[in-house]
């Protein structure tokens, strides 16, 4: 599968540098079609290798920036919508990355997702959480040939795990015999799944995630409560 | 404040705090230089100073009044999965969780600090507003002195807002 890394981020760093995490994925061929050109009534991605224009086609993923650092495209902030539609019409998966601090991304269609990625002034500190999510998303896309956008932007927190924690806090203070058994069973099962998802490879996935210290503290308190202590 | 806020789960307190910090203090007050203020004054009334800033002060004072509820984990009982519980059971859990949360969250101290800082900024904004319309101060000497007081008090309030938790506080 081809992955086309177009544009650059808001500090004009090309995605080819920012998204180097994709380089080692088996079955992925990365293309850097710079620059984007509007020609003959459509966008074409012309590489600078002198071999002529390469058109994006077939099973491929295109990663665009919402506001690319390309003069001819900066005239209109909504330009990405035009480009996304062009790709949508050709059944091409498209991930649009925005530097704006939107709290949650938007799934525009089955084929298109728009999410924020933190842009820092220090090029050595890319958005590591995003990088991990992106790598997982592309790996899954290659294997299943289905775009699971939840992987590129998972839920902001594990609601069942947090609910289980609150339940245990409450149980420590009051008798809760009235709690429906089916609710407890379902909650515990869902919380276990979330635990696997969030914590099984925490060190690998989120080595510098700002919340990881708080998450570890939460996990420790949760374990103490599960073990019957006060936490 | 050493609050347990894994994932910075969004809540009314964090939304309000973020907005006051980012949209008001940083991007409407602290980013203005003396030259910006002199330029704005030449251009006539400053709508934000007259209308918006007093509302932001009120918003801060409102937040200080409801600080405990604004970061309470009881907000999670309005979301899945806890919202699915039978009402009686949910209320019982909620009460127990709220008690545990209040034992660890020093709401009184946070409220008082926030209120003091907001009131101080409110006074310096009022003084600034009076000087803004004072035509006997053409070089803007009084205006800039008043503006520096505003910025100083805005820094203090920002520091208090920075101390707020960034999401739901778990007990």
């Amino acid at each position: 599968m081809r992955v086309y890394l177009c544009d650059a981020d808001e500090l004009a760093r090309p995605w080819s540098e920012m998204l180097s995490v994709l380089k080692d994925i088996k079955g992925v061929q990365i293309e850097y079609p710079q620059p984007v050109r509007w020609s003959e009534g459509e966008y074409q991605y012309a590489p600078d290798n002198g071999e002529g224009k390469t058109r994006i086609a077939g099973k491929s993923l295109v990663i665009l920036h919402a506001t690319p650092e390309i003069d001819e495209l900066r005239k209109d902030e909504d330009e990405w919508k035009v480009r996304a539609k062009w790709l949508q019409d050709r059944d091409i998966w498209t991930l649009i990355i925005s530097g704006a601090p939107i709290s949650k991304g938007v799934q525009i269609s089955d084929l298109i997702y728009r999410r924020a990625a933190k842009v820092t002034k220090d090029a050595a500190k890319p958005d590591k959480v995003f990088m991990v999510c992106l790598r997982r998303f592309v790996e899954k896309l290659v294997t299943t040939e289905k775009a699971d956008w939840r992987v590129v932007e998972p839920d902001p927190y594990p609601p069942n795990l947090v609910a289980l924690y609150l339940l245990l806090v409450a149980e420590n203070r009051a008798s809760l015999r009235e709690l429906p058994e089916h609710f407890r069973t379902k909650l515990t099962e869902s919380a276990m799944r979330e635990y696997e998802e969030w914590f099984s490879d925490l060190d690998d996935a989120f080595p510098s995630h700002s919340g990881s210290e708080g998450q570890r503290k939460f996990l420790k308190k949760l374990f103490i409560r599960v073990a019957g202590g006060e936490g | 404040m050493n609050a347990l806020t894994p994932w910075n789960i969004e809540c009314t307190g964090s939304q309000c705090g973020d907005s006051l910090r980012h949209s008001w203090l940083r991007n409407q007050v602290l980013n203005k230089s003396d030259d910006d203020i002199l330029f704005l004054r030449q251009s006539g009334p400053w709508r934000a100073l007259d209308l918006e800033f007093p509302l932001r002060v009120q918003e801060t004072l409102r937040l200080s009044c409801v600080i405990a509820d604004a970061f309470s984990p009881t907000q999670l009982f309005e979301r899945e999965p806890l919202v699915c519980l039978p009402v009686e059971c949910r209320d019982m859990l909620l009460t127990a969780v709220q008690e545990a949360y209040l034992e660890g969250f020093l709401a009184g101290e946070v409220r008082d600090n926030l209120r003091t800082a907001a009131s101080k900024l409110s006074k310096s904004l009022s003084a600034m507003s009076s000087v803004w319309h004072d035509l006997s101060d053409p070089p803007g000497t009084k205006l800039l002195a008043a503006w520096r007081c505003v910025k100083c008090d805005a820094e203090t309030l920002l520091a208090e807002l920075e101390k707020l938790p960034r999401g739901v506080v778990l007990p």
Side-chain angles (χ1 to χ4, degrees):
Chain A
M1 194 184 75
R2 284 172 194 260
V3 176
Y4 293 87
L5 302 181
C6 308
D7 311 330
D9 74 354
E10 289 182 341
L11 297 174
R13 291 172 298 189
W15 289 129
S16 51
E17 286 173 26
M18 291 290 288
L19 307 181
S20 58
V21 69
L22 300 175
K23 281 177 188 164
D24 302 326
I25 299 177
K26 210 174 171 184
V28 166
Q29 184 182 337
I30 299 177
E31 303 276 348
Y32 308 114
Q34 299 278 356
V36 179
R37 294 277 180 236
W38 176 255
S39 174
E40 298 165 14
E42 63 182 29
Y43 284 106
Q44 296 179 350
Y45 295 82
D48 289 328
N49 58 10
E51 292 175 7
K53 290 172 181 171
T54 301
R55 289 186 183 180
I56 294 174
K59 292 273 180 203
S60 47
L61 168 70
V62 171
I63 299 179
L64 301 174
H65 198 278
T67 51
E69 287 287 341
I70 296 172
D71 288 345
E72 63 188 304
L73 295 178
R74 299 233 0 135
K75 291 171 195 162
D76 182 356
E77 286 185 1
D78 284 343
E79 187 62 48
W80 65 270
K81 291 181 183 169
V82 179
R83 304 166 76 197
K85 186 179 182 311
W86 186 87
L87 292 159
Q88 166 88 35
D89 292 345
R90 283 152 185 81
D91 285 335
I92 292 165
W93 294 302
T94 307
L95 174 62
I96 299 153
I97 297 172
S98 165
I102 49 173
S103 57
K104 183 83 172 88
V106 185
Q107 184 170 339
I108 293 159
S109 71
D110 287 348
L111 292 165
I112 303 174
Y113 194 90
R114 182 171 188 250
R115 70 154 284 174
K118 267 184 275 177
V119 178
T120 65
K121 286 184 179 172
D122 184 352
K125 288 182 184 171
D127 186 336
K128 287 188 180 173
V129 174
F130 169 62
M131 297 298 170
V132 171
C133 294
L134 181 65
R135 190 188 70 210
R136 289 177 176 172
F137 169 76
V138 174
E139 282 170 349
K140 196 167 180 185
L141 186 64
V142 171
T143 315
T144 63
E145 296 199 346
K146 282 180 186 166
D148 185 354
W149 298 112
R150 286 172 310 165
V151 179
V152 92
E153 188 164 38
D155 289 336
Y157 72 99
N160 292 288
L161 203 55
V162 171
L164 179 67
Y165 175 78
L166 293 177
L167 198 73
L168 292 169
V169 168
E171 273 189 326
N172 201 40
R173 307 180 68 89
S175 170
L176 298 173
R177 280 179 208 151
E178 296 85 350
L179 193 72
E181 196 53 41
H182 69 275
F183 179 84
R184 180 189 287 274
T185 308
K186 194 177 164 208
L187 180 65
T188 309
E189 285 170 5
S190 306
M192 277 305 292
R193 272 200 302 276
E194 286 175 353
Y195 169 75
E196 290 290 330
E197 199 175 298
W198 281 91
F199 290 106
S200 59
D201 55 355
L202 188 66
D203 287 324
D204 172 48
F206 303 110
S208 67
H209 185 31
S210 59
S212 65
E213 193 187 334
Q215 288 167 23
R216 283 194 177 89
K217 196 172 156 191
F218 164 82
L219 201 58
K220 190 177 169 190
K221 290 185 86 168
L222 176 66
F223 281 151
I224 291 170
R225 287 194 183 279
V226 168
E230 288 195 2
Chain B
M1 182 179 296
N2 190 22
L4 180 60
T5 57
W7 298 283
N8 297 338
I9 303 168
E10 204 169 62
C11 60
T12 53
S14 63
Q15 285 168 346
C16 186
D18 285 348
S19 167
L20 292 169
R21 272 192 301 265
H22 178 80
S23 305
W24 177 36
L25 294 175
R26 286 206 188 101
N27 288 316
Q28 280 190 296
V29 180
L30 296 170
N31 64 343
K32 302 277 184 299
S33 66
D34 287 357
D35 286 346
D36 293 333
I37 293 301
L38 292 175
F39 176 78
L40 278 168
R41 194 203 205 180
Q42 276 178 351
S43 313
W46 185 12
R47 194 182 166 280
L49 177 68
D50 292 335
L51 301 172
E52 204 175 321
F53 293 174
L55 292 177
R56 290 297 205 169
V57 170
Q58 290 306 313
E59 204 179 323
T60 313
L61 291 170
R62 269 200 304 276
L63 174 65
S64 74
C65 290
V66 295
I67 200 81
D69 288 339
F71 293 96
S72 170
T74 55
Q75 292 174 69
L76 298 175
F77 287 78
E78 291 157 21
R79 305 176 200 172
E80 285 194 356
L82 293 170
V83 74
C84 303
L85 279 166
V87 177
E88 234 176 75
C89 183
R90 194 170 150 264
D91 287 349
M92 191 172 56
L93 279 169
L94 193 145
T95 307
V97 165
Q98 177 75 350
E99 277 174 16
Y101 156 72
L102 288 176
E103 281 172 13
F105 186 69
L106 301 171
E109 191 184 319
V110 179
R111 182 192 58 225
D112 293 347
N113 292 343
L114 208 51
R115 194 175 288 174
T116 305
S119 302
K120 206 161 171 240
L121 179 57
S122 179
K123 279 181 193 157
S124 53
L125 282 169
S126 296
M128 168 88 179
S129 194
S130 306
V131 180
W132 190 274
H133 303 288
D134 181 0
L135 299 175
S136 68
D137 178 36
T141 316
K142 286 185 201 167
L143 181 73
L144 290 181
W147 177 243
R148 281 168 203 148
C149 286
V150 167
K151 278 183 99 167
C152 180
D153 292 340
E155 288 277 12
T156 308
L157 180 58
L158 181 65
E160 290 304 324
L161 288 166
E162 292 282 7
K163 290 180 196 165
L164 294 180
R166 293 301 162 102
V168 168
V169 176
L170 297 182

